[in-house]
Amino acid sequence: MRVVAGSVRGFNLIVPSGKNTRPTTNRIKETLFNILQWDIAGCRFLDLFSGSGGIAIEALSRGAKEAVMVEKDREAVRCIKQNVQHTKMDDRSRVMPMDVMQALRRLEQAGQPFDIIFMDPPYQLNAEKEMLTAIADSKIADEDTQIIIEATLDREFSQDELVCFDVVRVKEYKTNKHIFLQKSSREA
């Protein structure tokens, strides 16, 4: 796994061993960031279930102002910290080694919205509704925040699960998809 483009293009990233994380492939990462290319420069990026930190580091490499990576797996946190240090992104990144819901509560206290929130929860967890509810009821997302969920191809979301967010785009790959959400213009 490597950084695909930007200031640290080509840097190889350390990936946690075992099956606790599913690194996003370079090809899928490249497609995702091609979609986001006009939104990355200067953005605040939040990566939930960060794994190796590859998605957030890609955002930083492409010009994100700041990235916060949330991951509770100790081995993955170790990899994230090494990857951030190796790519010299320490000054623009923050690692939160904790449960996602705990991190969302802490980030709420800062009261600053993120421009992009990426979430790649374990597929069997089905925690998207809980996370979207917490995000909807917080100050970490506003009407301009893009939320991207990585999910299996067969995973469908009801409007109830999406809380007050609308699907604005879906990009399907061979084995999974990215669902792009924004706060609904109608009141929930």
Side-chain angles (χ1 to χ4, degrees):
M1 188 163 126
R2 63 180 168 75
V3 180
V4 177
S7 63
V8 293
R9 177 182 184 204
F11 272 69
N12 288 319
L13 300 176
I14 299 165
V15 178
S17 58
K19 296 185 179 190
N20 288 343
T21 60
R22 274 177 296 94
T24 301
T25 67
N26 290 333
R27 183 179 207 115
I28 291 174
K29 191 168 37 171
E30 184 171 15
T31 301
L32 171 64
F33 281 93
N34 284 342
I35 293 168
L36 295 174
Q37 67 183 328
W38 307 115
D39 304 315
I40 293 295
C43 82
R44 294 188 72 235
F45 194 95
L46 175 59
D47 186 359
L48 303 175
F49 301 96
S50 196
S52 66
I55 294 291
I57 290 170
E58 187 75 34
L60 290 168
S61 180
R62 291 174 184 242
K65 175 175 66 176
E66 168 189 6
V68 175
M69 294 164 262
V70 179
E71 178 58 61
K72 73 175 185 177
D73 181 84
R74 285 184 182 167
E75 170 71 11
V77 168
R78 185 186 64 74
C79 288
I80 292 169
K81 288 180 178 180
Q82 285 182 317
N83 287 331
V84 165
Q85 191 172 36
H86 176 65
T87 57
K88 297 179 178 27
M89 298 291 185
D90 315 66
D91 61 330
R92 295 173 28 224
S93 63
R94 177 178 170 197
V95 180
M96 298 180 75
M98 62 187 66
D99 175 77
V100 166
M101 295 307 293
Q102 181 184 5
L104 290 175
R105 286 189 294 276
R106 284 205 185 161
L107 291 167
E108 164 65 13
Q109 293 171 356
Q112 279 189 298
F114 286 90
D115 299 295
I116 299 173
I117 300 173
F118 180 83
M119 61 176 76
D120 185 8
Y123 291 158
Q124 72 280 6
L125 196 58
N126 289 330
E128 293 88 355
K129 180 178 181 180
E130 181 183 16
M131 290 183 296
L132 290 173
T133 300
I135 291 168
D137 294 339
S138 77
K139 295 177 188 132
I140 68 166
D142 61 21
E143 61 279 350
D144 296 321
T145 302
Q146 289 187 70
I147 299 173
I148 304 150
I149 301 172
E150 188 165 311
T152 59
L153 279 176
D154 61 349
R155 177 74 161 98
E156 296 297 326
F157 293 92
S158 68
Q159 189 55 53
D160 179 58
E161 288 176 290
L162 296 176
V163 190
C164 65
F165 298 97
D166 290 330
V167 175
V168 293
R169 181 177 187 160
V170 176
K171 174 62 180 159
E172 293 187 353
Y173 309 98
K174 286 182 182 178
T175 58
N176 60 357
K177 63 185 171 183
H178 286 135
I179 301 135
F180 296 76
L181 307 172
Q182 281 197 286
K183 272 196 176 177
S184 177
S185 55
R186 64 194 182 319
E187 283 298 314

